[in-house]
Amino acid sequence: MGTIHRSGVMKKSSDRTRLFLTTSLGIVFGFFVGISFPNVSVTKFNLHPKILSSIDLAILDDHSSGRNTQTKSKSSETAQSGDSSRIYVGTNPRGAELLPPGIVVSETDFYLRRLWGDPNEDLTNRPKYLVTFTVGFDQRKNIDTAVKKFSEDFTILLFHYDGRASEWDQFEWSKRAIHISVKKQTKWWYAKRFLHPDVVAAYDYIFIWDEDLGVEHFNAEKYLQLVMKHGLEISQPGLEPNKGLTWQMTKRRGDSEVHKETVEKPGWCSDPHLPPCAAFVEIMAPVFSRNAWRCVWHMIQNDLIHGWGLDFALRRCVEPAHEKIGVVDSQWIIHQVIPSLGNQGESEQGKAPWEGVRERCKNEWKLFQDRLAEADRAYFAGIGKG
């Protein structure tokens, strides 16, 4: 009996020991499990509101990061899986990223289309070149003569600064021309708004001409043959010397097809390869290759609409400029110097309309020079060379 009593006591003692150890291990295990999970509710603890807020924000950020990661991952998986309901093409033109590349048409043209029939049969001819004139109806005879110098390989575009576009229908060629009419604007205002590089991308060369040019000695096809032969990206026909001529560079030479440099008055040229001794044409009758125009268009300022100073900066758009900018001598024109646009101005402070226009031209030249110089300084300073 005694033995049985001792055995019962030992058994109870052993059970208590096991219970104590099990409870202790459970507490320790629970502690470590608890600290392993940061998402326990902190609202059960009596913490200061500021501390509580910080903890809540940390937890929310943690959850948010996880959700963002999952969302990005799903987007990536969707894009890679080829899901037709989700399109994003980063190499598409800006704004067209959500379209399949096969439907994107990033360029256009001035080709006229029919209102009926098969679109593939609309065009019997696709002009390769574009010629624009900024015109008033008073110069209609001069423009009629000029337009007839350009074959059906040219799209004709008239910018009407006097609002009289419909009156040009008396000319047969006007029916295939494009007419854009906005009153009292300049050639470069029109060019910036209607000759975006993606709009004129169909044309190999773009003529941007004034209305007061005599073309008796000019043939457009022969002119372009010489432009291509001599590798000119920016050019103009030579000008018949007259009292209104300013620059030696643009004077016609009778002994050459093309020239790319000249000798100016002493002190006018700091470098023989720079304007006005080379890499220079005037803004009255320039001709641009498609690639050169893409650059020049971006350089035209929205508010500087007369273009003064632009001719000295054209060289920035081709390299080497002194080889790719030139004057075609054997196809030449006459600048008639008709101040028709000047008469579109308004009289202010007793000045004639043309005086106000001329004053703005000069002011714009300085503004353009200042902007270009400042842009240069900012660029070189940004790359550590300022």
Side-chain angles (χ1 to χ4, degrees), residues 172-295:
E172 181 64 26
W173 54 261
S174 180
K175 297 176 183 178
R176 65 180 177 90
I178 309 297
H179 298 266
I180 296 176
S181 178
V182 184
K183 289 184 177 181
K184 296 183 181 293
Q185 299 303 320
T186 71
K187 174 168 69 175
W188 299 108
W189 184 91
Y190 290 113
K192 185 65 173 179
R193 285 146 186 86
F194 299 103
L195 299 182
H196 186 282
D198 289 344
V199 172
V200 300
Y203 306 104
D204 295 339
Y205 292 92
I206 301 101
F207 292 60
I208 304 180
W209 281 19
D210 289 351
E211 63 181 338
D212 59 343
L213 304 176
V215 293
E216 180 182 351
H217 306 284
F218 178 81
N219 179 286
E221 278 75 12
K222 291 181 179 179
Y223 177 89
L224 287 176
Q225 289 173 7
L226 292 170
V227 162
M228 289 181 266
K229 174 182 176 181
H230 292 274
L232 300 180
E233 296 289 323
I234 300 175
S235 64
Q236 75 161 77
L239 295 175
E240 175 66 8
N242 58 52
K243 62 181 181 180
L245 196 65
T246 304
W247 307 107
Q248 291 294 322
M249 178 65 185
T250 53
K251 285 184 179 180
R252 177 180 71 91
R253 296 180 184 176
D255 57 353
S256 65
E257 290 182 336
V258 167
H259 72 269
K260 302 178 182 181
E261 60 184 24
T262 192
V263 176
E264 264 291 356
K265 298 175 182 178
W268 279 32
C269 298
S270 59
D271 186 311
H273 287 166
L274 293 179
C277 285
F280 177 74
V281 296
E282 295 188 68
I283 58 174
M284 71 181 73
V287 179
F288 303 95
S289 71
R290 181 194 299 111
N291 290 337
W293 178 248
R294 183 167 289 277
C295 171

Side-chain angles (χ1 to χ4, degrees), residues 188 283 304-312 357-369:
W188 299 108
I283 58 174
L304 307 184
I305 44 88
H306 287 290
W308 280 36
L310 188 63
D311 38 14
F312 279 78
V357 172
R358 178 56 62 94
E359 184 176 341
R360 173 158 178 163
C361 288
K362 293 178 179 178
N363 290 339
E364 285 195 4
W365 192 350
K366 184 179 186 307
L367 281 170
F368 183 76
Q369 287 178 313

Side-chain angles (χ1 to χ4, degrees), residues 1-13:
M1 291 292 294
T3 304
I4 293 173
H5 177 72
R6 286 196 300 271
S7 176
V9 172
M10 289 176 64
K11 184 176 181 181
K12 289 180 180 179
S13 176

